[in-house]
Amino acid sequence: QKEVEQNSGPLSVPEGAIASLNCTYSDRGSQSFFWYRQYSGKSPELIMSIYSNGDKEDGRFTAQLNKASQYVSLLIRDSQPSDSATYLCAVTRSSNTGKLIFGQGTTLQVKP
Amino acid sequence: NAGVTQTPKFQVLKTGQSMTLQCAQDMNHNSMYWYRQDPGMGLRLIYYSASEGTTDKGEVPNGYNVSRLNKREFSLRLESAAPSQTSVYFCASSELADTQYFGPGTRLTVL
């Protein structure tokens, strides 16, 4: 079992819809959770971080964490074609080292 | 500020050749990281340096060495390149477990 698992997709949604991206992790000791966006041929950039159970909202993005179910998700409201990218889920066990374990990423396609 | 810079951007090596990938950051971060990214594999941590003078192995350290030259610079060396090391290499920096900022990447092909 991979430590961090994502559906590789592609996930296709129409413009204006809600895109829901999911991630599960195996290490119950994981403490910090991140979503990175990566455009084709570019480097990853952080879009959301979440550390405690519940929801965290930032503009059109909402991260949801459920530690009991070992599940973290990212919702993108009012999806735009510019949101088309690969979304990488990452987790870390330690707050001291920053050692991230990444999932394989989910490719999102937003169709106009 | 340039953020995180990497050189070279592209490199082609023959099996058995050696090379060093350079990384520098100007954000005064303590922690620096080297990842590789292969299709369908996400990013995998090769080595990291929590602070100047310290380095530790990540998930896939075999075939690589690193040097934390000073607080700004963290290099990755391939002593004897193998085709399995064909990948995109990213350097990143952060302040402890905070946001990691990535460089533009080095696309390496080993023939």
Side-chain angles (χ1 to χ4, degrees):
Chain A
Q1 180 189 7
K2 292 181 182 176
E3 289 193 59
V4 179
E5 293 208 52
Q6 298 179 253
N7 187 325
S8 58
L11 172 66
S12 183
V13 300
E15 183 175 357
I18 295 175
S20 178
L21 304 161
N22 303 314
C23 173
T24 58
Y25 59 95
S26 60
D27 186 349
R28 286 195 171 274
S30 298
Q31 295 188 2
S32 305
F33 306 85
F34 305 88
W35 283 99
Y36 283 81
R37 178 177 62 199
Q38 187 176 26
Y39 292 112
S40 181
K42 302 296 185 181
S43 55
E45 58 178 333
L46 182 74
I47 52 172
M48 289 288 287
S49 58
I50 188 166
Y51 305 99
S52 55
N53 280 330
D55 295 359
K56 179 181 178 182
E57 186 175 320
D58 184 1
R60 295 187 295 112
F61 298 98
T62 299
Q64 300 174 316
L65 175 61
N66 184 325
K67 288 188 177 180
S69 299
Q70 296 174 244
Y71 177 94
V72 58
S73 65
L74 179 70
L75 300 178
I76 306 174
R77 290 181 299 281
D78 188 24
S79 295
Q80 301 298 308
S82 58
D83 295 325
S84 298
T86 296
Y87 290 80
L88 299 163
C89 172
V91 306
T92 182
R93 181 182 179 87
S94 169
S95 61
N96 292 326
T97 66
K99 287 177 64 176
L100 290 178
I101 305 297
F102 281 85
Q104 70 269 40
T106 298
T107 299
L108 174 65
Q109 297 174 345
V110 181
K111 297 188 181 299
Chain B
N1 289 348
V4 180
T5 57
Q6 292 183 238
T7 56
K9 287 186 169 52
F10 301 93
Q11 184 70 48
V12 179
L13 293 177
K14 294 181 180 178
T15 297
Q17 288 184 318
S18 62
M19 79 161 296
T20 299
L21 282 64
Q22 306 286 355
C23 174
Q25 52 95 5
D26 62 4
M27 295 175 280
N28 202 36
H29 287 158
N30 282 306
S31 301
M32 297 185 74
Y33 314 84
W34 276 106
Y35 295 91
R36 61 178 288 173
Q37 186 173 35
D38 303 298
M41 298 290 290
L43 284 91
R44 291 182 292 170
L45 183 65
I46 305 171
Y47 271 94
Y48 72 101
S49 172
S51 62
E52 185 179 355
T54 68
T55 61
D56 279 295
K57 296 178 180 179
E59 297 175 75
V60 288
N62 291 344
Y64 305 95
N65 286 301
V66 291
S67 295
R68 183 74 183 266
L69 304 170
N70 47 55
K71 191 171 185 178
R72 289 187 64 249
E73 299 173 288
F74 189 37
S75 63
L76 178 72
R77 183 160 179 85
L78 287 70
E79 291 290 352
S80 179
S84 60
Q85 294 178 304
T86 293
S87 190
V88 180
Y89 291 85
F90 288 103
C91 177
S93 72
S94 73
E95 198 53 43
L96 292 179
D98 205 345
T99 304
Q100 289 192 18
Y101 296 88
F102 286 81
T106 294
R107 283 147 181 80
L108 175 66
T109 301
V110 182
L111 302 176

